[in-house]
Amino acid sequence: MKPNLSVSLGRLKLKNPVLVASGTFGYAEEFRYFMNLKELGAIITKTITLEARQGNPPPRTCETAAGLLNSIGLENPGLEAFLKEKLPYLSKIGVPIIVSIASEYDPKEFIVIAKRLDKIKTVCAIELNISCPNLKSKKLISQDAGATYDLVKDVRRLTRKVLITKLSPNVSDITEIAIAAKEAGSDVIALINTLSGMSIDIETKKPRLGCIYGGLSGPAIRPVAIKMVWDVYQKIKIPIIGMGGIIDTQSAIEFFLAGATAIALGTANFINPGIAIEIIKGLRQYCIKNKINSIKELTGSLKCQN
Ligand SMILES: Cc1cc2nc3c(=O)[nH]c(=O)nc-3n(C[C@H](O)[C@H](O)[C@H](O)COP(=O)(O)O)c2cc1C
């Protein structure tokens, strides 16, 4: 038996549902030593902004119980340098490239970047990162349903590329935001970005991150992420890319059962840079063992007893 692992994210067809999450895989080149990159379902790039950003002051990461706190602050080379220096390598890999974008100051920057990417054939989809908790703005776009709707609508008007909206867990009701993104024309919802968090060194009495607080990722956030995928899956019927604390096949499968069509690996790439390929193999074995012909059958197949 050869199970079918292919899935669709809107018009984007993937040979398998295992993606690498934005910001945890760079622009892929460094990971070529650990895997055949061609085997991935898709690559989501580190978020880019219009202008280059140096990011936040160090220390930018620290480990916490079953998790990782980071406040990278969207360090990236900026749109033009990305197109010149990073995209040519990515385009040659032979897997769909999803470019993650954000604005630094003005949401209009999303429009400028999306317009430019729209003309580039090797960019298969655009992920709107409206959920980065490590910038100095008071409120995230993804913390406001109206602002989410307006931004997605504006970008939708100017591109036919598959549009993915990445949501923040730092809200009281993530389904409201997911509905707003869907109604504005998002093809796919990605969740979750990191949870806002903080850690303190009791000897120095200083915060362990240079920026005081940051975003928590890794296994510590997995139950929160699974619940949010489940909640959103109940409300909207567009594909969900689930992420948050996936470190092995078992944790990946939890996300499919909760309603994800595809999954993305973040912090796990730092623990084991070849983990994505192991999980693709693990999904295949799980399907064989459980006589599942297509991975699509797993999505939302959670059995709840009433
Ligand atoms: C060091 C680091 C950098 C990240 N940078 C980005 C980023 O640039 N854009 C983005 O949308 N998410 C970024 N994220 C969030 C991840 O893509 C992912 O949503 C989150 O870490 C939860 O998944 P995980 O628990 O598997 O890491 C970053 C996460 C980490 C740990």
Side-chain angles (χ1 to χ4, degrees):
M1 176 191 179
K2 200 168 176 248
N4 180 359
L5 291 189
S6 70
V7 295
S8 299
L9 297 176
R11 281 173 289 110
L12 181 61
K13 308 265 179 262
L14 307 183
K15 62 179 175 297
N16 71 64
V18 179
L19 287 70
V20 283
S22 180
T24 63
F25 209 75
Y27 302 98
E29 201 164 352
E30 302 84 345
F31 281 82
R32 72 187 190 279
Y33 303 110
F34 301 100
M35 66 175 74
N36 178 0
L37 294 165
K38 225 177 159 172
E39 289 181 35
L40 292 169
I43 293 172
I44 309 177
T45 67
K46 168 75 188 166
T47 299
I48 55 161
T49 47
L50 191 53
E51 303 300 334
R53 281 180 58 86
Q54 287 197 326
N56 290 335
R60 290 168 162 193
T61 59
C62 72
E63 275 189 51
T64 58
L68 176 73
L69 263 184
N70 91 81
S71 76
I72 307 294
L74 292 189
E75 179 185 346
N76 79 93
L79 174 65
E80 292 307 323
F82 166 76
L83 295 179
K84 211 167 139 216
E85 292 158 23
K86 309 291 183 189
L87 192 60
Y89 179 82
L90 286 161
S91 302
K92 279 194 214 125
I93 296 172
V95 297
I97 300 302
I98 299 170
V99 179
S100 167
I101 69 172
S103 66
E104 192 173 359
Y105 301 110
D106 183 347
K108 287 199 181 70
E109 289 174 29
F110 275 98
I111 313 282
V112 179
I113 306 173
K115 252 189 190 159
R116 188 92 162 82
L117 295 179
D118 183 56
K119 297 191 179 64
I120 300 171
K121 221 174 155 195
T122 53
V123 174
C124 296
I126 297 174
E127 182 171 272
L128 301 173
N129 175 7
I130 54 171
S131 50
C132 177
N134 302 323
L135 299 174
K136 283 290 159 216
S137 50
K138 282 200 192 88
K139 203 171 178 188
L140 304 172
I141 296 171
S142 65
Q143 285 172 327
D144 182 311
T148 299
Y149 181 89
D150 290 346
L151 181 88
V152 175
K153 190 95 194 159
D154 284 349
V155 178
R156 179 74 291 171
R157 268 193 207 107
L158 60 87
T159 180
R160 287 202 63 249
K161 292 220 188 271
V162 171
L163 212 52
I164 303 168
T165 308
K166 182 162 178 184
L167 304 188
S168 169
N170 303 308
V171 290
S172 47
D173 181 4
I174 198 164
T175 67
E176 268 182 17
I177 315 291
I179 291 168
K182 187 217 150 204
E183 285 180 353
S186 190
D187 300 297
V188 180
I189 299 293
L191 66 138
I192 59 175
N193 208 319
T194 53
L195 270 163
S196 195
M198 194 169 153
S199 178
I200 297 169
D201 180 330
I202 60 162
E203 300 306 328
T204 61
K205 297 185 178 167
K206 288 184 175 168
R208 290 171 70 209
L209 286 180
C211 227
I212 305 178
Y213 59 87
L216 183 63
S217 61
I221 71 169
R222 192 191 309 142
V224 177
I226 292 173
K227 163 78 164 46
M228 289 187 165
V229 168
W230 172 242
D231 286 346
V232 170
Y233 180 74
Q234 308 298 301
K235 294 276 173 78
I236 57 170
K237 293 298 166 214
I238 58 172
I240 298 170
I241 304 172
M243 73 191 92
I246 300 174
I247 50 157
D248 52 19
T249 302
Q250 196 176 320
S251 45
I253 289 170
E254 283 191 70
F255 278 80
F256 290 104
L257 295 175
T261 292
I263 53 114
L265 302 167
T267 305
N269 295 311
F270 302 135
I271 304 166
N272 173 0
I275 187 66
I277 306 303
E278 289 177 24
I279 292 182
I280 295 166
K281 283 187 193 139
L283 290 179
R284 199 169 283 127
Q285 280 158 6
Y286 178 85
C287 287
I288 294 171
K289 188 172 155 225
N290 293 283
K291 300 192 171 48
I292 296 166
N293 290 317
S294 164
I295 192 95
K296 295 182 194 103
E297 293 167 32
L298 266 190
T299 297
S301 63
L302 177 71
K303 292 181 182 166
C304 291
Q305 286 162 350
N306 293 317

